[in-house]
């Protein structure tokens, strides 16, 4: 998974590139990737394992043989505790910020075995991550580390062409 993510971050310019990279990578485990394009404000959720590659869009009910995630307009989500997720995401729809995800939403929906969280802000090319301290101290209860990917790219001389905000 970390190598697929590296390739997506390195070689993708849009969601079509993300789909191509994830779908062409051999599935060795089951992973769910939620990717967005900061230029177009579009997102997709991908399920990849040895036997399948699925693409899911925002605002469409997501179902498998065990769970169902009700459609929420312009929201794409999946994971454990589907009813808790549907509740908090619907209540906070249109107000969600990285800070709200880290402080309110992730702790509310995290499993006891939660070992890592990553919160992305694609328009600003930033992300925050946290890892579990040990098996008894989940990632949801640890401080986040911030990484400004846009600044790192600029420091290496990579010129970015960002969509201007209205």
């Amino acid at each position: 998974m970390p190598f697929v993510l590296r390739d997506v971050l390195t070689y993708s310019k849009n969601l079509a590139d993300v789909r191509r990279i994830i779908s062409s990578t051999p599935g060795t485990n089951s992973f769910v990737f939620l990717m967005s394009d900061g230029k177009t404000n579009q997102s997709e959720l991908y399920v990849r394992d040895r036997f399948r590659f699925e693409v899911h869009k925002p605002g469409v009910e997501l179902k498998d043989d065990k769970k169902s995630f009700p459609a929420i307009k312009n929201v794409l989500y999946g994971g454990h505790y589907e009813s808790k997720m549907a509740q908090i995401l619907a209540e906070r729809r249109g107000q969600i910020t990285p800070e709200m995800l880290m402080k309110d939403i992730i702790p509310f929906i995290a499993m006891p075995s939660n070992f890592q969280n990553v919160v992305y802000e694609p328009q600003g090319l930033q992300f925050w991550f946290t890892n579990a301290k040990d098996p008894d101290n989940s990632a949801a209860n640890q401080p986040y580390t911030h990484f400004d990917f846009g600044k790192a790219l600029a420091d290496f001389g990579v010129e970015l062409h960002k969509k201007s905000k209205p």
Side-chain angles (χ1 to χ4, degrees):
M1 189 273 290
F3 301 108
V4 175
L5 184 56
R6 178 204 58 204
D7 288 350
V8 165
L9 291 172
T10 303
Y11 303 113
S12 297
K13 293 183 179 172
N14 52 47
L15 290 175
D17 290 343
V18 173
R19 281 190 302 277
R20 179 183 45 75
I21 290 168
I22 295 175
S23 67
S24 64
T25 301
T28 57
N29 252 326
S30 182
F31 291 105
V32 176
F33 299 89
L34 176 58
M35 297 290 170
S36 61
D37 184 328
K39 296 180 293 295
T40 65
N41 292 324
Q42 299 294 310
S43 63
E44 295 177 337
L45 184 136
Y46 310 102
V47 178
R48 179 71 171 119
D49 61 29
R50 284 181 60 191
F51 306 106
R52 66 184 168 156
F53 172 70
E54 298 174 0
V55 179
H56 300 276
K57 306 274 187 183
V60 177
E61 182 179 29
L62 188 131
K63 287 179 119 175
D64 68 11
D65 57 342
K66 297 176 189 157
K67 295 182 180 182
S68 175
F69 300 92
I72 301 173
K73 184 179 177 181
N74 298 322
V75 175
L76 185 58
Y77 69 103
H80 299 276
Y81 308 134
E82 58 274 16
S83 60
K84 285 174 73 172
M85 291 179 78
Q87 173 197 339
I88 196 166
L89 293 173
E91 287 172 358
R92 311 266 172 109
R93 185 181 160 275
Q95 307 163 21
I96 297 173
T97 64
E99 293 78 16
M100 182 184 291
L101 282 166
M102 292 181 271
K103 292 178 183 173
D104 301 326
I105 296 175
I106 291 172
F108 182 70
I109 62 174
M111 296 177 60
S113 60
N114 172 242
F115 70 92
Q116 183 180 60
N117 298 307
V118 182
V119 175
Y120 298 95
E121 196 279 289
Q123 287 179 319
L125 295 176
Q126 300 181 70
F127 64 90
W128 296 260
F129 66 92
T130 185
N131 294 302
K133 185 175 181 181
D134 56 50
D136 297 321
N137 294 287
S138 75
N141 297 315
Q142 304 305 313
Y144 280 80
T145 299
H146 174 250
F147 185 74
D148 188 333
F149 193 55
K151 181 179 180 323
L153 289 172
D155 289 348
F156 283 102
V158 177
E159 186 176 332
L160 300 175
H161 301 285
K162 290 186 181 179
K163 176 183 170 184
S164 60
K165 293 187 178 185

